Amino acid sequence: MATQTASQAPGPAAPPWEPRIVAFFCNWCTYTAADLAGVSRLTHAANVRIIRVMCSGRVDPQFVLAAFAKGADGVLLGGCHPGDCHYGEGNYKAVRRVRMLHRVLAEMGIAPDRFRLEWISASEGEKVRLVINDMVAKVRALGPLGLPGRFREWDREMASLEHTLQHPLGAEEVGAHAG
Ligand code: FES
C-alpha cells in the first residue's frame, strides 16, 4: 500500500475569504463612539481596522486609494455630524472629497458600497455597531476587490504594451518586408 510522506500531505486549507475594511474615524466623535461601543460590549464584525484621525477632513483622497491599493475591500470614513466639526468645516471638506472619490472609484470599476461616509457622534456607540455590520455584509456580498492583484496585471499589460510600442516590427519581419 502506498504511503504518503510528510512533504506530500495536503497543507492546511486556506481560510475562507473575509472582507477587510479600513475605517478612518475622527478622534472627537466616531472614534470615541467606537470606544463607547467597546466599553458597552456592543460587538460588531471583527473585519474592521480603525485608524484614528483628528478630523474627517484630515483624510486625504490618497489615504483611501492607498487603503484599496494595499488590499482593503472597503473603506469607511466616520466624522462628526454637520455643524459639530471641532475644526469648523472639516467634515464639509470630507463630503466634497467623498463625492470626488466616488467618481474616481467608479472609473476604476470600484462599487460605491465599498466606500462610505457616516456621521457618528461620540454618544452613538450603537450606530458604530450597525454601520460596521451593514458595511461588512454589503462588502461580503460584493466579494473580494483584489486590487493588488489587478495592479500586478495592469503592470504586466503596460510592460507588454511598452515593449510592443518600442519594437513595432521584429528585425526579421522588417527584412522580410524589405525583400
Ligand atoms: S472634528 Fe470630527 S469631523 Fe472634524
Side-chain angles (χ1 to χ4, degrees):
M1 196 171 80
T3 54
Q4 199 173 39
T5 63
S7 61
Q8 290 169 323
W17 171 77
E18 276 294 321
R20 283 184 291 189
I21 311 290
V22 172
F24 295 101
F25 283 173
C26 159
N27 175 65
W28 303 106
C29 46
T30 316
Y31 189 85
T32 308
D35 213 21
L36 175 65
V39 170
S40 313
R41 299 184 185 276
L42 300 171
T43 52
H44 57 68
N47 309 56
V48 178
R49 295 292 170 272
I50 297 174
I51 298 173
R52 181 166 54 148
V53 290
M54 291 310 284
C55 174
S56 61
R58 173 69 185 92
V59 177
D60 189 282
Q62 287 289 347
F63 297 1
V64 177
L65 296 173
F68 282 123
K70 288 182 185 296
D73 299 297
V75 176
L76 173 61
L77 173 54
C80 305
H81 284 270
D84 288 348
C85 175
H86 286 51
Y87 304 99
E89 298 186 349
N91 48 6
Y92 295 121
K93 190 186 277 186
V95 171
R96 288 196 293 273
R97 286 176 173 171
V98 166
R99 285 188 186 150
M100 183 273 289
L101 269 167
H102 269 141
R103 285 199 295 272
V104 172
L105 296 176
E107 290 291 326
M108 295 169 72
I110 297 175
D113 276 348
R114 290 192 188 273
F115 178 45
R116 176 165 173 172
L117 169 66
E118 288 286 343
W119 306 134
I120 304 176
S121 75
S123 61
E124 294 179 303
E126 172 65 6
K127 188 171 178 185
V128 170
R129 188 180 72 81
L130 292 173
V131 165
I132 288 178
N133 287 348
D134 183 60
M135 181 150 187
V136 169
K138 286 189 169 128
V139 172
R140 191 188 298 283
L142 287 168
L145 179 59
L147 214 49
R150 282 207 241 168
F151 280 151
R152 283 193 293 277
E153 242 173 67
W154 291 340
D155 283 348
R156 279 196 293 273
E157 280 172 21
M158 289 311 291
S160 152
L161 181 63
E162 201 178 327
H163 180 82
T164 309
L165 291 173
Q166 285 170 356
H167 307 91
L169 287 174
E172 327 76 64
E173 277 181 86
V174 172
H177 287 293

